[in-house]
Amino acid sequence: MADEKTFRINNPILPGFHPDPSICTANGEYYIANSTFEWYPGVEICRSKDLIHWSAVPSPLSEKRLLDMNGERPSCGIWAPCLSYADGKFWLVYTNVRNWNFGTMKDTPNFLTTAPSIEGPWSDPVFLNASGFDASMFHDDDGRHWYINMEWDFRKEGPRQFSGIVMREYFPEKKLLSDTRKKIFCGTDIGLVEGPHLYKRNGWYYIAAAEGGTSYEHALTVARSRTIEGPYEIHPQNPLISSYGHRELKLQKAGHGSWCSSIDGTKTYLVYLCGRPLPDSDECVLGRETGIAEIEWKNDWPYVMQTDGILSNIPPAYIEIPVSSALHTEQSYPGCGHVHYTFNDESFLQDFKTLRTPLTEGRCSIADRKGWLRIKGGQSPWSCYEQSLIARRQTNFCFTAETKMEFEPDYFQQYAGLVYRYDEETQYLLQVTWNEEKGKIIQLNTIMPGNFEQGMPLQIRQNAPVWLRLSVSYRTAQFSWSQDGKIFHMIRPVCDAGKLSDEYAGQGFTGAFIGVFCVDTEFYTKSADFEYFDYDEK
């Protein structure tokens, strides 16, 4: 038998835009599902056998049959999925938010899809309800299935619109919810109760629900009851986890989480939402990330274990787990470090996403030109419909991204290049386009809420490739370009990465992405070719 030792798992375990984690175990593996909002395909899933090494699973909502977000505004789309395993299959409950910040009402249809394997195939979605968002499914040990979601009461004002957690029984054979609706939990004085999950242990039912909003007041509340319908008593040291009042911590915004037993059944692990602000700033350019903590049970109540063994509700910087000395224990995350993406096959897609609709051969192709990604010009960077763009999340405060592009515009409405973005109203675009006086040019354009600034046009050679680069160090983002791939020229202005955050852009829920795009608002036909995309964390 191999010697046992401990390994330190540093937080966050899924860096960059990985919000609202839902964890489960099945077939000797851990799975975490995360929200994706307007990014397509919907729901991010990562897997691990040991909590140390994580790899991406193909996103389940990858076709219009399962998800269509065309036209949805920023930070609509997939909110707080719930992934579970029961009856020999995976269950995925998700919300496709159609409207959330326009008017007093919200449009939040919730759906269920199942699959025999985490790779699919996923069944046709079953519409469940739309009375609120952040829905989840609980599988009781008596074989019954219970569906819960937060309830949105548009008649009220402020935090009282988050009016509680409602429950119905779900009947898989009929694919229907019961007629009986029961409000089982109204939250605490923290307010804004959402993101509910149900659990059962030692005869107790537990409800874990996010409260306090999604920013620095965020928290995870826990309550328990002897019956599933309640009443639920609040944890004696509620909340279970929160960073509120501890601005010295690296991990802020802690809350919205779920837990599961370890694969061997000896421990309990909690995953939760967190954010890392830029130094001396409130801005979390990396978005909301996923952290992990070990739970210790005391008098049938869960507590977060700290690195020194004490029990308190702040997020730990790391946890330690026993591992075999035979294991390769270097911690790894999907899409981090130095990744050189080529376009000889579709493997790059595990880290890249599009906006709102699936990636199609008509918009992006690796077949039209061998070894290159061809992107056909789509709608403008402000469009919520058919943009031709692929991008990956930023996972470190310091990185360099680079691509080589061939693009020959002949009209000013044709432009393509490298984008660093938060949403349609908050982004930087290093683009090649056409100018009637200078011909083919490169310029850096800035889109910020209520403002559009065009950079100085610089003439470049026609019928020649151009290399585009973005170097980011914390909040400083510097674009540059080259026409030989060796000598790079900086281009003004120096950009502020901190603006690509929830805090700057207004109430939103995503994070910074880097990618490539092509626009043709004349005919939607002009194409740009990309030979590679390099992402290198420093």
Side-chain angles (χ1 to χ4, degrees):
M1 182 176 179
D3 293 335
E4 292 287 316
K5 62 178 182 178
T6 60
F7 180 79
R8 176 178 294 185
I9 301 177
N10 295 304
N11 276 316
I13 57 167
L14 297 178
F17 171 60
H18 285 94
D20 310 323
S22 170
I23 190 169
C24 72
T25 57
N27 306 318
E29 289 190 288
Y30 299 92
Y31 299 93
I32 295 177
N34 294 99
S35 302
T36 46
F37 297 90
E38 68 264 34
W39 289 101
Y40 207 100
V43 181
E44 193 83 3
I45 296 180
C46 294
R47 74 196 308 168
S48 175
K49 292 183 180 294
D50 55 14
L51 301 175
I52 303 169
H53 311 99
W54 292 91
S55 60
V57 173
S59 297
L61 309 183
S62 58
E63 50 185 308
K64 282 193 173 183
R65 172 180 64 88
L66 291 157
L67 178 65
D68 186 356
M69 301 184 290
N70 213 15
E72 292 179 1
R73 288 186 290 274
S75 287
C76 285
I78 297 299
W79 286 20
C82 173
L83 182 67
S84 58
Y85 186 81
D87 301 339
K89 59 187 176 183
F90 289 92
W91 303 57
L92 179 65
V93 176
Y94 60 96
T95 311
N96 180 13
V97 174
R98 296 294 193 174
N99 170 61
W100 67 275
N101 62 349
F102 186 76
T104 61
M105 301 183 187
K106 291 187 181 351
D107 296 289
T108 58
N110 299 299
F111 300 91
L112 167 68
T113 180
T114 61
S117 166
I118 199 66
E119 289 87 6
W122 293 92
S123 65
D124 289 342
V126 176
F127 170 73
L128 297 170
N129 72 351
S131 64
F133 47 87
D134 292 7
S136 66
M137 193 73 72
F138 168 65
H139 313 283
D140 210 340
D141 51 18
D142 61 1
R144 299 171 75 179
H145 306 273
W146 299 91
Y147 168 80
I148 60 174
N149 64 272
M150 68 78 66
E151 179 188 67
W152 180 258
D153 192 339
F154 60 86
R155 302 167 299 176
K156 299 176 180 178
E157 295 183 357
R160 295 190 304 136
Q161 291 178 317
F162 293 72
S163 53
I165 307 303
V166 294
M167 180 179 72
R168 291 179 186 260
E169 188 171 1
Y170 178 70
F171 304 105
E173 302 81 8
K174 300 177 181 179
K175 298 182 179 180
L176 290 173
L177 296 174
S178 70
D179 294 332
T180 304
R181 180 194 313 111
K182 173 74 173 179
K183 185 173 292 186
I184 62 171
F185 188 60
C186 293
T188 73
D189 58 0
I190 298 175
L192 306 173
V193 63
E194 58 185 338
H197 293 276
L198 280 174
Y199 305 94
K200 191 175 186 181
R201 183 180 186 274
N202 291 347
W204 288 100
Y205 289 93
Y206 297 87
I207 188 165
E211 290 194 286
T214 61
S215 190
Y216 287 84
E217 296 80 18
H218 203 36
L220 181 64
T221 281
V222 170
R224 72 181 185 185
S225 172
R226 283 297 187 184
T227 65
I228 195 168
E229 294 186 352
Y232 283 82
E233 63 171 313
I234 307 300
H235 194 294
Q237 295 183 23
N238 200 62
L240 176 63
I241 197 167
S242 181
S243 308
Y244 184 55
H246 295 276
R247 293 305 296 270
E248 76 281 1
L249 297 175
K250 179 183 77 170
L251 303 177
Q252 293 294 320
K253 302 184 177 182
H256 197 124
S258 71
W259 68 68
C260 71
S261 295
S262 60
I263 291 171
D264 63 9
T266 62
K267 296 180 180 293
T268 304
Y269 293 109
L270 169 75
V271 292
Y272 56 91
L273 178 158
C274 60
R276 291 178 290 165
L278 288 164
D280 302 316
S281 169
D282 287 338
E283 294 159 332
C284 295
V285 65
L286 300 178
R288 297 175 301 152
E289 307 172 283
T290 291
I292 191 169
E294 183 178 341
I295 283 179
E296 181 173 311
W297 293 91
K298 181 180 177 182
N299 299 324
D300 283 322
W301 284 111
Y303 291 84
V304 169
M305 183 184 298
Q306 299 300 313
T307 56
D308 57 4
I310 67 169
L311 305 180
S312 69
N313 67 352
I314 64 172
Y318 63 88
I319 66 170
E320 290 188 341
I321 64 170
V323 296
S324 169
S325 59
L327 286 175
H328 173 64
T329 53
E330 182 179 354
Q331 193 170 354
S332 60
Y333 323 97
C336 294
H338 180 196
V339 190
H340 181 72
Y341 301 96
T342 59
F343 303 116
N344 297 307
D345 55 39
E346 295 184 347
S347 60
F348 70 97
L349 291 176
Q350 71 176 10
D351 291 336
F352 281 82
K353 290 188 172 294
T354 60
L355 288 165
R356 300 178 178 85
T357 56
L359 190 72
T360 64
E361 279 290 321
R363 292 169 62 199
C364 299
S365 173
I366 59 172
D368 288 353
R369 183 180 179 186
K370 185 175 177 58
W372 293 69
L373 172 68
R374 174 162 292 171
I375 302 182
K376 183 179 292 185
Q379 295 183 2
S380 78
W382 287 270
S383 175
C384 292
Y385 290 88
E386 298 289 342
Q387 288 196 51
S388 293
L389 172 153
I390 67 165
R392 52 148 294 155
R393 61 178 50 80
Q394 178 181 345
T395 54
N396 194 290
F397 289 123
C398 304
F399 72 92
T400 298
E402 182 183 299
T403 188
K404 177 184 176 183
M405 179 179 75
E406 292 188 359
F407 179 58
E408 298 300 327
D410 54 44
Y411 187 50
F412 74 93
Q413 291 189 15
Q414 302 164 355
Y415 46 102
L418 186 66
V419 61
Y420 187 31
R421 77 187 308 275
Y422 174 84
D423 62 14
E424 278 67 34
E425 294 187 348
T426 317
Q427 52 185 312
Y428 304 107
L429 302 106
L430 178 60
Q431 60 187 47
V432 173
T433 185
W434 179 262
N435 179 283
E436 289 85 347
E437 296 179 357
K438 296 178 177 290
K440 185 178 176 181
I441 62 166
I442 189 168
Q443 65 182 163
L444 176 57
N445 290 348
T446 300
I447 300 172
M448 289 292 147
N451 187 43
F452 172 50
E453 295 184 5
Q454 300 183 72
M456 179 182 295
L458 303 174
Q459 187 176 22
I460 59 175
R461 295 197 309 273
Q462 292 183 255
N463 301 311
V466 60
W467 284 257
L468 309 174
R469 180 182 289 174
L470 168 64
S471 299
V472 174
S473 179
Y474 296 97
R475 70 176 318 117
T476 301
Q478 178 71 69
F479 286 91
S480 58
W481 61 277
S482 172
Q483 287 215 271
D484 61 8
K486 299 176 182 178
I487 300 174
F488 279 80
H489 310 279
M490 299 297 181
I491 189 166
R492 294 182 183 273
V494 175
C495 301
D496 185 352
K499 291 183 176 181
L500 307 184
S501 63
D502 298 346
E503 289 71 28
Y504 179 85
Q507 190 177 9
F509 311 113
T510 56
F513 275 67
I514 316 97
V516 292
F517 71 98
C518 183
V519 173
D520 176 4
T521 49
E522 183 183 27
F523 294 121
Y524 302 135
T525 56
K526 178 65 72 171
S527 297
D529 291 351
F530 299 87
E531 189 175 22
Y532 66 87
F533 189 93
D534 198 70
Y535 178 84
D536 188 9
E537 293 179 347
K538 303 298 183 183

